[in-house]
Amino acid sequence: MSVEIKEIKYENYGKCLEISNGLIDVVVTINFGPRIVRFGFTGGSNILYNDLERKYTVQNEKIEERFGRDAAFLYYGGHRIWLSPEKMPDTYYPDNEPVVYGILPEGVTFTPPRQKQTDMQLSFEIIMSESTTDIMVVHSAKNDSKEKRACALWAVTMLNGGGTEILPFNADGENLISPNRTLSLWPNTDFHDNRLCFGHRFITVRHEKENEKPLKIGLNNFPGWACYANGDTTLVKRYVHSPSAPYPDYGCSSETYLCKDFIEMQTLSPLYSLEPGEGIRHVENLFLMKTPAIFDPLNEDSVQKFVQELNL
């Protein structure tokens, strides 16, 4: 079946664009954002978390001072594009205006208005092929200011809770002279948190819906993949990590955030120093698989077997 693209109304997000090849479908907001608010098998459930109640909103004096009275950033849910390092208030730019989309031979671009106060132009393109269950998301940023800007692209995917994420540790080096694994912990993250399991080959992160305590970790993920298994569906994220490049947050290209309602899988590009007019890109491959989460997150051999079934 060929790829079909059409405007629809989705949940309480208003006008959206649906992209489908008959096997999988994607829904992207165009009244604001953009956000990818649905990614799933056609006729199946949505693996992405939707904040239909708009519970996750950031509004404070710094945001209103920077962006105007009553300005607020709404998470909305789903997949979004941000810039790193995180800064208040610039990271929380209120992207609540209509989005322009353009249909290309291989995909669809989604471009919000240029951020007026920061003079950064963000956008992403979704590429979907026939007879596949994956999409490519090309995230872009351009410095439209008259000053040099240092930043990295930050791709954030909010997922329904109740599943388990698997992150690979970098493989053993040839010697013990140089470290090859960097782990960053955010405030209040506890090594003894029972949602975390640090092994020799993998880190597993379990989302527990009854656990309200926030948690965030990051690592220098050389293999360039992470997966999230929830019920009978697994999402695999792939990207390219450049070992010689500088990354935000003490060298992190992969980060994970947990709260009560959802888990966020995040990947980052290297840090770039952008001259006026220069742009950067960060590409992710998001792959859906009908692979049940049958493994023990506390047993590395069990995790290894599951990972091999995913051909990772």
Side-chain angles (χ1 to χ4, degrees), residues 59-198:
Q59 186 173 26
N60 55 42
E61 290 183 2
K62 289 184 178 180
I63 289 178
E64 292 193 357
E65 181 180 342
R66 180 78 157 130
F67 303 120
R69 184 177 178 181
D70 298 327
F73 174 80
L74 284 75
Y75 282 79
Y76 291 115
H79 180 93
R80 69 184 183 272
I81 178 174
W82 261 5
L83 292 175
S84 183
E86 186 169 348
K87 298 176 183 178
M88 177 61 74
D90 285 2
T91 298
Y92 297 87
Y93 182 86
D95 55 350
N96 302 317
E97 297 179 274
V99 173
V100 174
Y101 70 87
I103 299 176
L104 304 175
E106 294 184 345
V108 184
T109 59
F110 297 88
T111 307
R114 176 175 55 86
Q115 297 184 358
K116 300 179 183 68
Q117 290 81 356
T118 67
D119 287 321
M120 294 297 293
Q121 177 65 71
L122 304 183
S123 65
F124 61 69
E125 177 183 354
I126 296 176
I127 300 171
M128 180 187 294
S129 301
E130 300 178 18
S131 304
T132 64
T133 61
D134 70 303
I135 60 172
M136 186 177 295
V137 185
V138 183
H139 309 81
S140 301
K142 182 183 177 185
N143 179 11
D144 278 340
S145 75
K146 297 180 180 180
E147 301 176 354
K148 185 183 292 187
R149 296 287 174 86
C151 64
L153 280 165
W154 188 2
V156 183
T157 308
M158 301 171 73
L159 298 149
N160 290 318
T164 299
E165 182 184 23
I166 301 172
L167 294 157
F169 260 137
N170 299 333
D172 290 339
E174 295 180 358
N175 54 59
L176 298 179
I177 296 176
S178 301
N180 70 344
R181 302 175 181 186
T182 298
L183 184 65
S184 293
L185 303 181
W186 271 252
N188 300 320
T189 297
D190 185 352
F191 265 117
H192 297 288
D193 193 311
N194 62 10
R195 293 171 293 179
L196 289 171
C197 180
F198 297 98

Side-chain angles (χ1 to χ4, degrees), residues 49 51 55-56 75 80 157-163 189 193 195 205-217 228 256-266:
Y49 170 77
D51 182 16
K55 292 194 298 182
Y56 293 93
Y75 282 79
R80 69 184 183 272
T157 308
M158 301 171 73
L159 298 149
N160 290 318
T189 297
D193 193 311
R195 293 171 293 179
V205 188
R206 292 182 295 114
H207 182 273
E208 298 175 346
K209 294 184 178 180
E210 68 277 7
N211 194 331
E212 298 186 16
K213 185 179 178 182
L215 175 158
K216 186 170 182 180
I217 64 170
Y228 181 66
T256 297
Y257 171 75
L258 292 181
C259 67
K260 178 182 177 182
D261 291 320
F262 59 85
I263 179 171
E264 283 186 343
M265 294 175 71
Q266 311 173 358

